[in-house]
């Protein structure tokens, strides 16, 4: 493994990552009342501190931005204090952690919304296959999404201000970076995609207009905490949450161009393969690479071997692992030692306690021979 690129160090902004194995953001729905991060979450993230970088589970920037029960927030003082336990636990174990900033937009139900209002979106178009999760008798239960109402320009500006405050809160909570969740059919992606954005004002229509919301968020994050602390997650050609974007590649290249000018910390691409979608062509990967000169993280059903290959090919700098990280807190050590991986158990992915969360076995430490 001595010639492994995946296991070699990488300078990401002012962070020296000991390896290029990234923990992908994973919704686990174990926050306490008030959507406050807790000690169990601190233990879970600290177990994963050997990752080059941990990206936290998606965390709502406001009550309106929530669509699933028990996902953590980053808007209240109690949530900031809760996250401080998490970031301290990770840092004490020598790790680094970014927070993923989340607004679900239309992927929500009135029960989560202030005053039981419909959820919000660029346009009033329902996500037919979208799902929201509520807590019923202690169990996370799938519920349908509600038809959203279209945001006014003033409301769009207020949401951008919520993102800004969330980034400031994230710094107070001790995070090393923030990642804007602009992937997987949540609010920024609903503005980017052709089927979910039917607006006729400056936030809809052309590629430039559909990208405006995402770039205005990025600009306010940069203004608040600095470009070197801001990353973004995109999912070009992803179809999760009923996204059908007829201009997905062109939009991705336009965003890469714009983000390149802003010199943000990284672009994180969630590939359609994460959800059994069609793999990208090498041509598209090369175009992205040529357009964005900063670090690129890729994610989507990668194995150690595939991750090594994509970095060797020069098409990505870092690779994020999702499901393998659910079951293997010590994924980096397992890669280093070519050890077998534990298999994740889907029934414990969302909600519950330490079962299927912090109780997957870790490798025994290597003992030095006398
Ligand atoms: C999920 O809870 O299934 C989920 C959350 C955020 C994502 C993708 C999936 O970006």
């Amino acid at each position: 493994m001595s010639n492994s690129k995946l296991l070699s160090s990488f300078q990401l902004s002012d962070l020296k990552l000991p390896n290029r194995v990234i923990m992908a953001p994973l919704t686990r729905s174990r926050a306490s009342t008030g959507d406050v991060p807790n000690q169990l979450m601190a233990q879970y993230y600290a177990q994963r501190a050997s990752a080059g970088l941990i990206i936290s589970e998606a965390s709502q920037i406001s009550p309106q931005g929530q669509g699933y029960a028990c996902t953590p927030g980053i808007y209240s003082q109690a949530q900031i204090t809760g996250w401080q336990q998490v970031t301290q636990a990770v840092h004490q174990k020598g790790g680094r952690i970014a927070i993923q900033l989340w607004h679900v937009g239309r992927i929500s139900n009135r029960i989560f919304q202030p005053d039981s209002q419909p959820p919000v979106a660029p346009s009033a178009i329902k996500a037919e296959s979208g799902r929201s999760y509520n807590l019923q008798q202690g169990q996370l239960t799938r519920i349908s999404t509600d038809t959203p109402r279209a945001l006014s320009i003033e409301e769009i500006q207020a949401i951008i201000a919520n993102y800004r405050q969330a980034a400031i809160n994230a710094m107070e909570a001790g995070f090393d970076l923030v990642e804007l969740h602009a992937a997987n059919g949540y609010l920024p992606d609903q503005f980017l995609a052709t089927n979910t954005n039917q607006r006729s004002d400056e936030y809809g229509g052309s590629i430039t207009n559909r990208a405006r919301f995402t770039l205005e968020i990025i600009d306010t994050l940069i203004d608040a905490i600095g470009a070197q602390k801001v990353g973004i997650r995109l999912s070009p050609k992803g179809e999760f949450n009923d996204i059908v974007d007829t201009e997905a590649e062109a939009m991705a290249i336009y965003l890469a161009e714009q983000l390149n000018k802003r010199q943000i910390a990284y672009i994180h691409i969630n590939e359609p393969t994460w959800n059994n979608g069609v793999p990208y062509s090498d041509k598209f990967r090369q175009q992205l690479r040529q357009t964005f000169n900063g670090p690129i993280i890729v994610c989507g059903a990668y194995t150690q071997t595939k991750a090594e290959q994509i970095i060797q090919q020069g098409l990505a700098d870092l690779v994020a692992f999702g499901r393998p990280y659910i079951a293997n807190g010590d994924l980096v050590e397992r890669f280093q030692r070519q050890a077998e991986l534990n298999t994740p158990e889907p029934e414990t992915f969302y909600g519950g306690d330490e079962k299927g969360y912090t109780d997957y076995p870790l490798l025994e430490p290597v003992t030095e021979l006398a």
Side-chain angles (χ1 to χ4, degrees), residues 27 58 68 102 131 181 184 186 233 240 274 350:
T27 293
Y68 307 77
W102 201 21
R131 79 260 193 280
H181 191 349
N184 301 345
Y186 297 107
R233 195 176 212 222
F240 190 65
W274 83 279
Y350 302 109

Side-chain angles (χ1 to χ4, degrees), residues 28 30 326 344-353 355-357 360:
R28 305 304 309 275
R30 281 163 169 87
I326 290 182
E345 296 157 15
E347 60 281 8
T348 52
F349 282 2
Y350 302 109
D353 51 19
K355 189 166 176 310
Y357 191 53
Y360 287 101

Side-chain angles (χ1 to χ4, degrees), residues 36-57:
V36 173
N38 52 43
Q39 200 48 52
L40 181 65
M41 289 168 61
Q43 188 193 345
Y44 162 79
Y45 282 111
Q47 281 179 342
R48 287 151 180 79
S50 62
L53 175 70
I54 294 171
I55 302 169
S56 82
E57 63 207 279

Side-chain angles (χ1 to χ4, degrees), residues 162-202:
N162 290 154
Y163 276 104
R164 181 188 181 91
Q165 187 59 49
I168 294 167
N169 294 347
M171 293 298 109
E172 191 185 334
F175 285 99
D176 299 297
L177 299 165
V178 306
E179 176 177 285
L180 172 62
H181 191 349
N184 301 345
Y186 297 107
L187 186 62
D189 201 19
Q190 291 160 28
F191 275 86
L192 297 176
T194 47
N195 71 321
T196 42
N197 185 343
Q198 302 284 321
R199 298 179 73 93
S200 52
D201 62 9
E202 67 263 38

